[in-house]
Amino acid sequence: MSETFFNYALGFAVIYALCGIIFAVGFQLRGMGKIDPAAEKGTWGFRVLVMPGLVALWPLFFFAYRFHEASAFSLRRSHRIAIIALAVFSAVLFLVALAWRLPSFGDLPVIETPLP
């Protein structure tokens, strides 16, 4: 049961990452300036630096691009939502990793060493 769930979760993560990569490349080429005009003139180093964040949070940036309001307040609100989503996603990912960790030390075989 858990192996099937893990396979589905892994498949979902791969599809999510592929969609994020496709969106991030297109967003950096065409849409970054619509949300933040200063980012439009960013160097390639900047674009490489923000790529993991765009891939991880692509649904938020998609909706921000799609329903964008051009104001400084909307940028701050978008950043606040992205930070909260990243914090929640990180906490959930950490808890899932703890649940699927290796067996505890009590399940390992005992190795007897003679005393000198």
Side-chain angles (χ1 to χ4, degrees):
M1 173 78 178
S2 64
E3 187 174 322
T4 305
F5 175 74
F6 180 74
N7 288 337
Y8 283 124
L10 185 62
F12 175 77
V14 168
I15 291 171
Y16 185 87
L18 288 175
C19 290
I21 290 169
I22 292 168
F23 172 79
V25 169
F27 182 73
Q28 287 187 359
L29 293 176
R30 299 186 65 204
M32 193 176 281
K34 181 179 178 185
I35 292 180
D36 190 0
E40 186 176 22
K41 296 180 172 70
T43 64
W44 283 103
F46 166 74
R47 292 174 188 267
V48 168
L49 189 66
V50 298
M51 184 74 154
L54 287 174
V55 171
L57 300 173
W58 72 268
L60 292 174
F61 285 103
F62 174 75
F63 287 113
Y65 176 73
R66 185 94 168 139
F67 306 108
H68 177 66
E69 308 161 9
S71 72
F73 177 73
S74 67
L75 281 177
R76 285 192 296 271
R77 186 178 62 206
S78 298
H79 291 163
R80 184 180 311 120
I81 291 171
I83 291 294
I84 292 170
L86 187 58
V88 169
F89 179 72
S90 299
V92 168
L93 186 63
F94 179 73
L95 292 175
V96 168
L98 279 179
W100 278 335
R101 68 184 179 165
L102 294 174
S104 66
F105 290 113
D107 298 337
L108 298 175
V110 177
I111 300 174
E112 300 280 335
T113 56
L115 294 174

